[in-house]
Amino acid sequence: MKEASIPLTESEWNSAIAYAGRCFVRVEATEVESALHIWKEMEREAGVKSGVVTFNILFDIATKAGKHVLAEMVLNEMKTRGLAYNRFSYVGLIYYHGFKGDGAGIRTAYRDLVEAGQIVDTVVMNCVIASLIRAGEFPAAQQVYERMKGLVHRRTGQPIPRSDWRASRDMGRALDKASRTMRNDHQALQRLQAEQCLAPNLRTFCILLDHHVYVTGELRQVTALLEEMQMFDVPLHGRIYVRIFKGFAYHGGMKYTSWTRQRLESVWTSLLSLLDENTGGVQMVKWMVIWVVRAFARCCRRERALQIWEEVRDRWKLAGEDEQGAVEHLLRHVLENTASDDRHQ
């Protein structure tokens, strides 16, 4: 578009900045520099002024890169330009204080969101939970989760929506617009807030499962969360299975562990059943393949791990040659280092 001398809109510049800064899972200094370069080009060369969305994107990139000074500079620039925070700004602030390990900052940012008349929904609560855990305050995060459950139980009969990330994004935009429209109508805001579903969703359970898989290793807590997923009608998803297999890979194969081979085989059987049913949310994809094999390599004999590798490779049909080659190289090393004798059960 630039070569054709077609002017870009603010929205298109924002998309370019977001892509440059978030093109990889981990945001490094290179991505930050690329995003800032495009932003400067947007304002200085194209003459397109940045709005609150642009600064939200820059703030998010700086936060994820751990560039706290840059993040503060972005906030100060917003203040200098007289740009008011929107819903996404406040949620970003909660996330930012979680990265800093600042529990008090998380609470202040959440209070500011509420006092600004923004609507609290599951997305906001998930951000609070994830940020408190990142700040080392898991008991407080657990209290927020318990509050979500309590609110659902008091709102009997209210449907729990199932949504993907696009639906969540669109809902966030709609709630932000509604908050601005009803800013001076407190009764209307209260009615809108009362209509919001605060039920735990797939993202909520992924956040909590990550803590128990990576930190506590408590299989009992993982099992309890899986039972509560059923209670809230949250369907099993491939991301849940990946986390469970990670748990076996991290905590299995040791004496007195709860992550035993028998339980691993039971989870594997459950996964195969869902795959045979062709459930849309559960597919044999790259990370599923890696963690299934790593779990069996950790908990079982080498022969069983090799059997599993052959089976998942047969079911893993949609991967390209490059992806398959990279995974095979990784797992070859894992399998070569798997003991041929029985692990402790």
Side-chain angles (χ1 to χ4, degrees), residues 82-226:
L83 295 173
Y85 290 172
N86 64 9
R87 169 187 171 84
F88 301 98
S89 307
Y90 287 110
V91 173
L93 278 169
I94 295 170
Y95 192 68
Y96 167 67
H97 288 293
F99 259 80
K100 289 180 64 179
D102 181 5
I106 294 169
R107 292 171 177 83
T108 299
Y110 176 76
R111 184 168 59 250
D112 289 344
L113 178 147
V114 174
E115 291 178 353
Q118 297 293 334
I119 302 300
V120 177
D121 63 354
T122 300
V123 172
V124 174
M125 300 297 272
N126 284 347
C127 184
V128 172
I129 291 173
S131 299
L132 286 170
I133 291 175
R134 185 178 289 274
E137 296 193 26
F138 180 74
Q142 184 69 29
Q143 288 180 358
V144 175
Y145 172 62
E146 295 297 331
R147 179 188 171 198
M148 293 173 74
K149 291 195 297 182
L151 288 170
V152 173
H153 291 320
R154 287 199 292 271
R155 298 179 182 181
T156 56
Q158 185 183 59
I160 299 175
R162 298 180 183 179
S163 61
D164 56 20
W165 69 269
R166 288 187 180 85
S168 178
R169 179 195 61 189
D170 293 342
M171 177 59 74
R173 290 173 175 171
L175 291 176
D176 180 59
K177 183 178 179 180
S179 297
R180 284 185 278 110
T181 303
M182 303 176 183
R183 189 179 304 276
N184 298 318
D185 190 341
H186 297 295
Q187 290 186 342
L189 276 174
Q190 289 177 351
R191 287 194 300 269
L192 183 59
Q193 178 63 72
E195 293 171 357
Q196 298 310 304
C197 179
L198 293 173
N201 60 11
L202 178 63
R203 174 63 181 154
T204 316
F205 288 106
C206 285
I207 293 167
L208 296 170
L209 285 170
D210 278 344
H211 177 73
H212 292 300
V213 166
Y214 292 119
V215 181
T216 70
E218 293 185 10
L219 181 60
R220 181 180 58 183
Q221 296 296 331
V222 171
T223 302
L225 287 169
L226 295 177

Side-chain angles (χ1 to χ4, degrees), residues 250-267:
Y250 290 152
H251 308 293
M254 295 182 288
K255 198 171 184 179
Y256 306 124
T257 181
S258 300
W259 303 80
T260 62
R261 173 178 178 171
Q262 291 75 18
R263 288 178 173 138
L264 174 59
E265 293 282 1
S266 177
V267 173

